[in-house]
Amino acid sequence: MAAIMSSRKAVSVLFAAAFLLLSAEPVPAVTRGEAIHAIITSLGLPEWSGAKHFTDMEPGHPSWRSVETASALGIIHPSERFYPDIEASRAEAVMFSMQAMGLRHEASILNDLDPVPWPGLPAYITPYMTLAADLQPPPPPQFLSAPREPMTQRDLQSMKSWLRECTQRLRWSREFQGPGSVLTLLRENIGRPPSEWGLQSREFGSEKEAASAAETLRRMGLSVMIHELEWSWIVRIGPFQHYLKAWETMVKIPAPEMTVVPFTQSPSRAMFVAALRFDPAATPPRIVPAASISGKRLPLDIIADNSGAEGAINGGFFSGSRIVGSLVVDSRPLSGPYGERSAVGWSSDGSKVNFGRGKFKSALSLGSLTVAVSSMNAPPPQGGVGIFTPDVWSYVTGAPADGWEVTVKGGTVSGVRHSSSSNHFVTREGFLIIARGQAGNLMKDLKEGTPVSVRVEWTDPGFRDLDNVLQAGPMLLKNGTTSTDPEGFSSRTLSVPHPRSLLGSDGENMWFVVIDGRDPWHSNGATIVETAAVAERLGLVDALNLDGGGSSSIWWMGKIVTSPPGGIVRPVPYALVF
């Protein structure tokens, strides 16, 4: 009897549970509009105050303002309709979250270097899922284990908590193994989107070219500005408060090629670092001038592609096509020192590396005659002597008309002529000497076959037996200690966040490192002190700051893995490759 009563009780419980399940209201899935609203508000992104764009979003819709904000910031791809009331998948929410935190570049380069398929997901979402899998803090586990499922209200609350945690701390890193190197990509902290957008052209070599392009754009009724950079000019259009307006304008312009870029710099803690390490004894670094390929300046990827390189980084400072600071390539001096700023040098086999002061003196021996060298690949002063090498260009531009020119081939004099009757050609089998005033009088009677050599005397003895030396600065780390010498650089150059490049050593491996900048959503850049701190965290004991700003780029295995300002890979006079 007790057994029968127990069985009846169990049946009653089952019937009651079934009744509750049947009578309960179904829990609605989270819509796309709700997901976007949660992302915008959880990250504290500023609302856009403009007019609506999507045809299926009315001002009375509860998610209207957040969806239009996401559109204005470029988080949502430009289109006519958004479909705010259909279910949002977990994977879609992850992608929108990554984009809102400024992680587009990381997803893009991850997809280029290591594409990972996620079954059942569209290809444009998969790199964001791969990125999220290595993110700290990680997204809620169900977003990774079942990304195709529709979001639930519980998912929505978990996502909000995760996003708020990301605003306090965020870190992502990934290593990629190459034949002779390891690339480490690192991202810290979320970024802040710009309040205005604009369009930017490629760089023009002359103001006249930029003015011609600007006039073409003005005839289209566009508001155009010409900006002068260090040695080039760009054309800019804008500003636009809405990303879509900038994008729509860009696709209507047949020429010149334009890129959508941020027009404002919001304070941000976002930092993206690309660090490339390699064994110099196994793959010695090389200095490759652009002129050895074609042209006075070339983008880093062109130099790398034509050098049989695995990795590459921009080099030291320059002005126009003129190299600034000491540069010695395969024991040939191409540029003289800029004061006593710091430098790095290495032997051709990579067995010796030295960080120190880059000052040197050079002299020419022409038979029994010895004269001091006044300039390298730059016109000499009155009474001075200049050396011109084919590593910079095949002809001397701006050559003085009052000098005597000596052509050197294979280590001997092959010809002497006055500058006024010369085409200033620089032979690839040697170099050209231009001497003015009294120095020219000493050389005008030199005979063919006279032996010629160049002697370099370094202030720092550590460079005496090294084949390659480049001067940049300031020094960041020396023997494990942070350097504090500004080396004559302005406080603005040192203390304002900029894109930075550096060359360093951990005692065994050499490192190419770039910190992206000038994009607060992706990477705000770094001061010199912050750059030294990054080098120290990577384990470097010696580190030299290279040319930064728009020149900062790293190329690896066929790709530019950094994000240069404005999306433009700036042409440089030489690059470091291995």
Side-chain angles (χ1 to χ4, degrees):
M1 184 60 113
I4 293 174
M5 293 296 292
S6 176
S7 176
R8 287 176 177 172
K9 186 175 181 180
V11 171
S12 298
V13 171
L14 289 173
F15 271 110
F19 176 77
L20 289 172
L21 288 172
L22 291 172
S23 61
E25 289 289 333
V27 178
V30 174
T31 66
R32 299 178 87 218
E34 287 178 298
I36 288 292
H37 179 71
I39 292 168
I40 297 297
T41 55
S42 297
L43 294 176
L45 301 185
E47 285 191 342
W48 184 64
S49 58
K52 74 183 184 73
H53 165 70
F54 291 108
T55 59
D56 56 356
M57 292 292 296
E58 294 298 327
H61 193 285
S63 303
W64 169 66
R65 182 58 66 193
S66 292
V67 170
E68 294 296 345
T69 296
S71 175
L73 296 176
I75 297 170
I76 297 173
H77 188 73
S79 61
E80 183 179 357
R81 300 171 67 86
F82 177 64
Y83 304 100
D85 298 317
I86 65 174
E87 294 178 345
S89 71
R90 291 167 174 166
E92 193 175 31
V94 168
M95 179 185 69
F96 287 143
S97 296
M98 298 283 102
Q99 292 174 344
M101 290 189 282
L103 294 163
R104 284 183 183 272
H105 175 74
E106 289 78 0
S108 175
I109 200 65
L110 185 61
N111 194 49
D112 286 339
L113 297 178
D114 186 23
V116 177
W118 287 66
L121 293 181
Y124 63 87
I125 291 182
T126 56
Y128 291 96
M129 297 302 301
T130 305
L131 177 66
D134 291 330
L135 204 66
Q136 294 296 326
Q142 68 270 25
F143 283 70
L144 299 177
S145 61
R148 296 176 58 191
E149 294 297 313
M151 282 185 69
T152 67
Q153 291 297 324
R154 180 175 293 180
D155 290 338
L156 187 66
Q157 297 308 313
S158 298
M159 184 183 75
K160 289 180 179 179
S161 297
W162 169 58
L163 290 173
R164 286 192 291 268
E165 191 176 355
C166 287
T167 64
Q168 301 302 312
R169 61 179 185 90
L170 181 138
R171 182 180 173 87
W172 173 80
S173 63
R174 184 74 182 272
E175 283 194 349
F176 303 88
Q177 180 71 54
S181 62
V182 176
L183 173 69
T184 299
L185 301 181
L186 171 66
R187 169 64 184 268
E188 293 181 346
N189 303 317
I190 68 169
R192 299 296 297 178
S195 58
E196 292 179 329
W197 300 90
L199 300 179
Q200 181 171 300
S201 73
R202 62 176 177 83
E203 295 186 4
F204 294 97
S206 71
E207 188 174 10
K208 183 178 179 181
E209 291 178 298
S212 176
E215 183 58 31
T216 300
L217 296 169
R218 288 192 183 101
R219 287 198 292 267
M220 298 176 62
L222 298 170
S223 175
V224 182
M225 299 164 287
I226 298 175
H227 285 258
E228 184 178 358
L229 303 179
E230 290 92 336
W231 50 266
S232 61
W233 288 260
I234 58 172
V235 175
R236 304 184 83 184
I237 301 172
F240 303 89
Q241 289 189 322
H242 199 299
Y243 174 87
L244 176 68
K245 295 300 182 184
W247 184 85
E248 287 178 335
T249 303
M250 178 187 70
V251 298
K252 294 176 183 177
I253 298 174
E257 183 181 353
M258 308 294 286
T259 306
V260 178
V261 296
F263 253 36
T264 55
Q265 297 294 320
S266 306
S268 166
R269 296 187 301 122
M271 180 182 287
F272 176 85
V273 180
L276 188 55
R277 73 178 187 268
F278 60 97
D279 181 357
T283 52
R286 294 175 286 133
I287 300 172
V288 180
S292 67
I293 299 169
S294 175
K296 294 182 179 181
R297 300 184 304 270
L298 288 173
L300 180 66
D301 51 343
I302 301 298
I303 296 177
D305 280 332
N306 286 275
S307 303
E310 180 175 331
I313 192 172
N314 63 286
F317 299 103
F318 61 95
S319 176
S321 60
R322 183 174 64 86
I323 298 165
V324 176
S326 303
L327 187 69
V328 177
V329 179
D330 295 331
S331 300
R332 302 187 311 275
L334 307 190
S335 178
Y338 191 95
E340 295 192 5
R341 285 181 177 174
S342 294
V344 60
W346 60 91
S347 57
S348 58
D349 62 3
S351 62
K352 297 179 182 179
V353 180
N354 182 64
F355 290 80
R357 296 292 185 177
K359 186 176 182 179
F360 70 86
K361 295 180 180 180
S362 55
L364 271 170
S365 294
L366 304 100
S368 60
L369 177 65
T370 299
V371 294
V373 175
S374 309
S375 63
M376 293 181 179
N377 288 300
Q382 183 60 241
V385 175
I387 295 177
F388 297 84
T389 68
D391 310 86
V392 173
W393 198 232
S394 300
Y395 295 88
V396 177
T397 56
D402 61 349
W404 285 90
E405 297 185 3
V406 179
T407 298
V408 178
K409 284 186 179 181
T412 63
V413 172
S414 66
V416 180
R417 67 185 63 83
H418 195 267
S419 296
S420 60
S421 61
S422 170
N423 61 4
H424 319 302
F425 177 71
V426 182
T427 177
R428 299 205 70 83
E429 289 79 35
F431 54 92
L432 181 70
I433 302 168
I434 298 182
R436 303 177 67 190
Q438 184 60 35
N441 292 332
L442 292 174
M443 296 190 185
K444 66 180 181 179
D445 296 323
L446 286 172
K447 305 299 183 184
E448 289 190 21
T450 300
V452 182
S453 62
V454 182
R455 185 177 72 253
V456 173
E457 183 180 341
W458 292 96
T459 301
D460 184 337
F463 290 123
R464 287 177 184 169
D465 298 323
L466 301 186
D467 307 290
N468 302 281
V469 179
L470 72 93
Q471 185 182 41
M475 190 75 76
L476 302 170
L477 298 173
K478 177 68 173 168
N479 296 326
T481 301
T482 302
S483 175
T484 58
D485 184 353
E487 300 187 16
F489 289 93
S490 69
S491 59
R492 178 172 176 78
T493 299
L494 302 179
S495 61
V496 173
H498 288 293
R500 305 285 181 178
S501 300
L502 68 92
L503 176 62
S505 171
D506 60 15
E508 295 182 3
N509 296 307
M510 290 188 76
W511 292 67
F512 294 167
V513 182
V514 161
I515 303 171
D516 280 347
R518 296 180 185 166
D519 182 349
W521 215 356
H522 164 61
S523 185
N524 200 50
T527 66
I528 282 294
V529 171
E530 291 167 341
T531 305
V534 168
E536 196 168 22
R537 281 161 43 201
L538 291 171
L540 307 188
V541 293
D542 295 296
L544 176 72
N545 183 63
L546 301 176
D547 187 18
S551 300
S552 289
S553 294
I554 281 183
W555 178 96
W556 186 71
M557 301 289 288
K559 301 285 184 182
I560 295 288
V561 298
T562 50
S563 181
I568 298 170
V569 182
R570 174 178 289 177
V572 292
Y574 70 95
L576 309 179
V577 310
F578 66 87

